[in-house]
Amino acid sequence: MRYSSTRGQVKNLLFEDTVMMGLADDGGLLVPNELPFVEGNLDKWRNLSFTELSLEIMLLFTSQRISREELMSMVKQSYSSFKHSDITPVKLVGNLHILELFHGPTFAFKDVALQFLGNLFAFFLKELNHPLRILGATSGDTGSAAIHGLRGKQGVDVFMLYPKGRVSEIQERQMTTVFDSNIHNIAIEGSFDDAQAIVKSIFNDQKFKQTFYLGSVNSINWARILAQIVYYFYAWFRVAKDIREQVSFVVPTGNFGNVLAGYYAKSMGLPIDKLIVGTNENDILHRFFSRGKYQSTEVKETLSPSMDIQISSNFERYLFDLAGKSSKQLQLWMDEFEQKRELTIESKLHKKAQKDFSSARVDDEETLSVIRKFYQDHKYLLDPHSAVGVCAAEKIEIRTPVICLACAHPAKFGRAIRKALGTEPVLPDALAGLQNQKTRNKTVPANPEAVKKMMIDTLEA
């Protein structure tokens, strides 16, 4: 397995180079040159545990650079801290199957990928004679999951940007109460899109990137997508009655990485009918799939803050596929979007996209209504992001069994739960213990030079 950039100037990388590079040096995103087709393996994979299934799928992508034994050890270590024996269990609630992805150490779906990525970094750094400086941006959950996966790891420093005042209090405390000397939290005076643009700008400064050995934990890193592919297979095995039955997945979506993993699973031969994208009022993806226009507008603050995004960084990987893997066409589209903040695709390609994807927009009132209704009817508490997905499922006619992704523990979003139910969510002990702890972070203006200066000053100190 080799990897190349969507922009066409970086080609045929091995797995370890792909993981350590993060964002491709030409500004594109790294993707496999081809996806393995595994339909013939479904029957023999059906009864595997989550860790066993992770091993089989990941081995297809590692360029034969990690032995089976080494990878199995890494996978077991990555998921040893999860609080449920199934890692990502599937529960039937009413007529919907809920794929719970919040049983990791920070109670969010990001743990599934970032526990694994942290161990991958440690594995590859053993062979390298230089440090790794992780630069990332978070709308809430990526930051704490990355920090938990990398805190205290030798040779690694983590610089995590987040939008000041635009993540939940618990999400911020999960990051800023970590005092390990290699963890550096940076609150920027702007939105998540500003933070994401800063990260991309710094990665595109090749001199800075190479001098300071930058790496990425955001979903621009291919290993994040790889780890997430696994739970689509795992959930399908628990719902489909036989190896031919199709199911549909409903995915609350902001940065497009989670649902992109489902798209790749389908491309690998998993019998998926539709991937349903649920967006909040920041509905750039819904507008694309419903109208064929990808147009950025101002970010709105909502009750589902991790989805308050107007530029979905992983969408470039999907557009590359939609362009027939033409880097030239992809570059034309991205240039158009960067100049005009909008992109319209031709009707034929829009219809092609709609064969795989449907979408729905969910506002805050609808989110609260679904939380309230689901709790009253089933005594099941949804976080606001998962509620966006459930509401999207209710808005769209789906003829197959439906699996909704539950992306975070509801206790992380007390404001939304209070509005919906009038009561506080019960905090798990690990979250309750954050309330009285000291915090540490720095605030900087939302521009790349200010962030670079802060990084340099920190490393020199």
Side-chain angles (χ1 to χ4, degrees), residues 74 76 209-210 254 394-395 407 414 426 433:
M74 204 181 305
K76 285 181 176 179
K209 180 181 180 180
Q210 291 165 12
E394 293 178 347
K395 288 187 172 194
C407 298
V426 177

Side-chain angles (χ1 to χ4, degrees), residues 104-135:
T106 71
F107 302 92
F109 83 94
K110 307 291 179 73
D111 288 321
V112 178
L114 284 164
Q115 288 296 300
F116 175 64
L117 181 56
N119 289 319
L120 262 185
F121 282 143
F123 179 83
F124 291 138
L125 280 173
K126 291 176 184 175
E127 306 298 321
L128 300 172
N129 293 315
H130 62 71
L132 178 65
R133 278 67 184 258
I134 295 297
L135 175 63

Side-chain angles (χ1 to χ4, degrees), residues 423-439:
T423 59
E424 294 285 339
V426 177
L427 291 176
D429 291 344
L431 296 182
L434 298 174
Q435 298 301 315
N436 299 316
Q437 292 186 29
K438 293 181 180 180
T439 62

Side-chain angles (χ1 to χ4, degrees), residues 198-247:
I198 289 169
V199 169
K200 192 164 187 179
S201 172
I202 293 175
F203 268 91
N204 283 329
D205 181 341
Q206 292 302 313
K207 183 178 179 181
F208 190 90
K209 180 181 180 180
Q210 291 165 12
T211 299
F212 291 97
Y213 301 104
L214 293 191
S216 172
V217 291
N218 281 87
S219 54
I220 57 176
N221 193 308
W222 167 254
R224 283 275 307 271
I225 306 300
L226 171 58
Q228 290 172 191
I229 288 172
V230 176
Y231 52 68
Y232 284 91
F233 281 84
Y234 189 73
W236 179 86
F237 284 128
R238 269 127 201 91
V239 171
K241 297 180 182 66
D242 59 61
I243 62 170
R244 292 173 296 279
E245 184 176 21
Q246 290 193 321
V247 303

Side-chain angles (χ1 to χ4, degrees), residues 1-3 15 32-42 44-45 52-68 71 116 222 226 229-230 233 264 268-269:
M1 177 69 72
R2 297 276 180 157
Y3 297 83
F15 180 67
N33 288 355
E34 68 284 316
L35 286 170
F37 194 72
V38 299
E39 187 178 45
N41 294 335
L42 295 180
K44 68 179 180 180
W45 286 354
E52 291 167 340
L53 183 61
S54 296
L55 174 67
E56 298 303 331
I57 291 174
M58 290 175 178
L59 277 174
L60 300 172
F61 290 90
T62 55
S63 309
Q64 298 180 319
R65 308 292 287 183
I66 307 174
S67 73
R68 187 180 187 88
L71 187 57
F116 175 64
W222 167 254
L226 171 58
I229 288 172
V230 176
F233 281 84
Y264 284 140
M268 290 168 65

Side-chain angles (χ1 to χ4, degrees), residues 134-179:
I134 295 297
L135 175 63
T138 183
S139 56
D141 287 328
T142 290
S144 57
I147 286 166
H148 195 282
L150 290 166
R151 61 185 299 180
K153 288 207 183 294
Q154 189 173 357
V156 181
D157 276 275
V158 179
F159 295 88
M160 188 57 61
L161 279 59
Y162 66 95
K164 185 177 182 179
R166 297 196 186 191
V167 300
S168 78
E169 181 184 356
I170 284 180
Q171 286 176 317
E172 184 171 28
R173 281 190 163 273
Q174 282 186 301
M175 294 185 286
T176 58
T177 55
V178 176
F179 274 66

